[in-house]
Amino acid sequence: MKELIDKAKELLKEKKVETVIGYREIRGCVVPAYVDSPCDADCLIFDKRCVYNLANYLKWFKNKNVALVLKGCDAKSINVWLQEFQIKRENIFIIGVECYGVMNEKSADAGLSDKCGHCEAHVPNIYDAVIKHQGDKKESVQGEPFKDIQEFEKLPHDERWDFWKKQFEKCIKCYACREICPMCYCKECIVERNIPQWIMSSPSVKGNFEWNMVRAFHLAGRCVECGECERACPVNIPLMKLNKKLIKEMKELFDYSAGQKEDVKSAIDDFYPEKDIKIDDKMIR
Amino acid sequence: MEEKKEKNGFEPRLVGILCRWCSYQGADLAGTSRLKYEPNMTVLRVPCSARMSPLFLMKGLTSDIDGILFSGCHPGDCHYISGNMNARRRFVIFKKLLEFAGMEPERIQMSWCSASEDKKWADIVDSVTIEVKKTGPNNKFK
């Protein structure tokens, strides 16, 4: 971790950035850390307990010079922010860390997280400096990345509905999934609008279905699979299943995956008339 | 109408979200040329098919509407150049998501229909009504 600490110290000494946002350990738990001065930088760490997506903190540091410690999956969200003109590239310094999987916070055996199973971004695709991985480089599990989605699609629609109804019944509308999501940066969210009220604010069958569908749809072509929504959910709704379905459809229909480049349009803003015409045969009269 | 009700007790409530420049005019033409088609659809006029927000579909389905037909200009004919292209991508993705969550695919449909296609419009409404009738009432949120 010396490399990481040295880099942070260098940036703060030269006044390139105001703050370095990284991870630190307090009483055995890893928490996000703001480091403002070089002498505090010794606390920074990175290991497989660092599950949080620190790109989320850009919501509070939009026009400031900050350095962020980002894993491969987290760095993709920076690309989406840049695509949507939310931040300036020169304002942020990305300390990319090579990562071969983080732990699963919710399971007791502390294996790797589900999202790491099919990871393709061990090294971030956008960075200013990269910290090399120490120790053994375990390759992630290869295979069909959307296997569980395909199996779920094969079920009859009644069973699918019953499954989601049971899952959404648990929802308490705490909006933790929205707060933790680096892509949900709107100042006024659609659920908070009263006139007209599109989404019922009560945690009923209707309201929960509306909220969870709209949340998933707003991430179509933008979700970078950091898995934070599912981790933050206090009632364990499998939100990544919805997100993954959209990622799969985006790939199949429009040949697009989110957060790969900073200078392309998002698939939902864009269109290719020649390619899109193929959709018409199956779905449009 | 009454004969039909005796045969099949269920008359679906449908909503049509139509583009002001083409499908709405097409439906209008079908009316002026006295074509007969199923009377189950309530029409909602939007200035362009790109005005269609997925929230419209969502709100319709959660308000116990049995089926929604969304219709716009043919690709390349949009009055605002590319509105229907954007609408198509949005619609397709949202429909896939709703299907994944267990909604029947017949409930949400999309068509291209221009201002002169009155016969096509009548056919579309007829076939959508029949499909939704087969699917049955939307009781999911009751």
Side-chain angles (χ1 to χ4, degrees):
Chain A
M1 286 306 93
K2 202 173 164 300
E3 234 181 312
L4 175 63
I5 293 164
D6 287 349
K7 192 77 214 173
K9 277 184 179 169
E10 183 198 318
L11 288 169
L12 290 164
K13 253 181 209 162
E14 289 171 13
K15 302 241 155 98
K16 273 186 185 165
V17 293
E18 289 168 38
T19 314
V20 176
I21 304 175
Y23 304 93
R24 70 188 289 188
E25 190 179 341
I26 294 178
R27 291 186 225 108
C29 297
V30 171
V31 294
Y34 293 171
V35 178
D36 296 330
S37 66
C39 52
D40 293 341
D42 291 315
C43 70
L44 289 176
I45 58 155
F46 185 81
D47 56 34
K48 70 172 190 169
R49 291 173 299 169
C50 302
V51 287
Y52 315 110
N53 184 351
L54 297 179
N56 196 24
Y57 287 95
L58 281 175
K59 287 176 192 171
W60 293 277
F61 288 91
K62 257 187 181 174
N63 297 315
K64 289 176 185 159
N65 286 331
V66 285
L68 293 159
V69 179
L70 296 177
K71 303 186 287 290
C73 44
D74 308 346
K76 281 196 262 177
S77 42
I78 299 290
N79 274 329
V80 182
W81 279 68
L82 289 167
Q83 272 176 12
E84 294 167 2
F85 307 106
Q86 292 299 314
I87 41 169
K88 286 183 185 141
R89 182 67 183 91
E90 59 267 25
N91 281 355
I92 48 164
F93 189 96
I94 301 167
I95 308 173
V97 282
E98 212 178 337
C99 161
Y100 284 86
V102 291
M103 71 171 197
N104 191 347
E105 265 201 345
K106 283 189 173 173
S107 79
D109 58 16
L112 284 190
S113 176
D114 293 344
K115 67 171 175 176
C116 302
H118 302 284
C119 180
E120 287 163 3
H122 297 299
V123 183
N125 55 15
I126 178 169
Y127 59 80
D128 297 298
V130 108
I131 310 295
K132 287 263 154 52
H133 179 79
Q134 279 143 4
D136 55 334
K137 294 182 180 182
K138 263 189 197 164
E139 269 304 311
S140 52
V141 198
Q142 293 299 322
E144 182 56 51
F146 299 113
K147 205 180 172 193
D148 51 337
I149 305 294
Q150 281 164 347
E151 275 168 19
F152 190 75
E153 277 170 0
K154 280 175 196 160
L155 295 175
H157 65 81
D158 295 344
E159 277 176 43
R160 267 180 281 158
W161 174 256
D162 290 342
F163 173 81
W164 285 114
K165 199 179 171 188
K166 224 172 251 174
Q167 294 295 339
F168 292 155
E169 253 169 23
K170 297 190 284 187
C171 181
I172 52 171
K173 287 275 183 87
C174 64
Y175 303 132
C177 44
R178 180 187 70 185
E179 296 302 321
I180 202 90
C181 181
M183 262 53 272
C184 278
Y185 53 66
C186 293
K187 276 186 182 162
E188 195 195 351
C189 181
I190 187 85
V191 278
E192 271 134 26
R193 286 205 200 152
N194 304 336
I195 309 166
Q197 190 176 41
W198 285 109
I199 297 163
M200 278 172 72
S201 50
S202 62
S204 58
V205 179
K206 264 186 203 181
N208 288 348
F209 183 78
E210 283 169 346
W211 162 244
N212 283 291
M213 284 293 111
V214 168
R215 189 205 64 83
F217 179 74
H218 283 185
L219 293 174
R222 303 168 72 228
C223 177
V224 293
E225 261 184 290
C226 66
E228 287 285 273
C229 45
E230 198 173 284
R231 186 183 65 77
C233 184
V235 289
N236 296 332
I237 299 173
L239 294 166
M240 277 311 286
K241 212 168 186 168
L242 291 173
N243 293 348
K244 260 186 158 177
K245 163 74 182 169
L246 288 176
I247 290 166
K248 176 174 168 271
E249 291 302 335
M250 278 288 166
K251 227 175 210 170
E252 282 176 3
L253 291 169
F254 309 133
D255 193 21
Y256 179 87
S257 44
Q260 300 300 328
K261 283 176 196 161
E262 57 182 284
D263 50 359
V264 292
K265 265 184 169 180
S266 164
I268 213 99
D269 290 349
D270 209 1
F271 57 88
Y272 294 96
E274 297 83 24
K275 279 187 201 167
D276 289 0
I277 219 123
K278 286 176 202 158
I279 306 166
D280 284 16
D281 310 336
K282 288 176 203 160
M283 308 206 41
I284 298 168
R285 285 160 181 282
Chain B
M1 250 324 261
E2 279 174 8
E3 280 173 27
K4 266 181 202 164
K5 261 189 181 171
E6 275 169 25
K7 277 179 197 163
N8 186 350
F10 166 60
E11 282 295 327
R13 281 170 75 202
L14 303 178
V15 168
I17 301 171
L18 311 188
C19 161
R20 178 232 180 287
W21 297 100
C22 48
S23 300
Y24 190 82
Q25 304 282 356
D28 202 17
L29 183 64
T32 38
S33 40
R34 312 259 169 202
L35 291 179
K36 257 192 185 170
Y37 59 91
E38 300 284 334
N40 303 46
M41 190 171 285
T42 311
V43 169
L44 209 149
R45 187 177 74 173
V46 287
C48 173
S49 44
R51 175 66 186 89
M52 190 275 309
S53 159
L55 290 166
F56 293 4
L57 308 178
M58 170 69 78
K59 207 65 193 171
L61 291 171
T62 50
S63 319
D64 304 333
I65 297 292
D66 300 310
I68 300 174
L69 172 66
F70 167 58
S71 186
C73 311
H74 285 275
D77 281 354
C78 181
H79 188 78
Y80 306 100
I81 297 165
S82 61
N84 53 0
M85 302 282 189
N86 286 316
R88 169 162 64 187
R89 283 202 165 193
R90 234 176 290 156
F91 175 86
V92 166
I93 286 293
F94 196 64
K95 187 176 171 176
K96 291 264 182 192
L97 181 64
L98 284 179
E99 275 176 38
F100 189 69
M103 201 59 80
E104 295 91 339
E106 293 84 13
R107 294 210 193 282
I108 333 139
Q109 309 217 21
M110 184 175 179
S111 69
W112 303 128
C113 180
S114 82
S116 58
E117 290 175 327
D118 52 345
K119 286 226 172 69
K120 185 181 176 184
W121 174 251
D123 290 346
I124 288 169
V125 177
D126 280 345
S127 59
V128 169
T129 312
I130 290 164
E131 276 180 31
V132 175
K133 258 183 198 170
K134 271 183 201 160
T135 315
N138 179 13
N139 294 329
K140 288 197 157 63
F141 299 98
K142 271 178 186 163

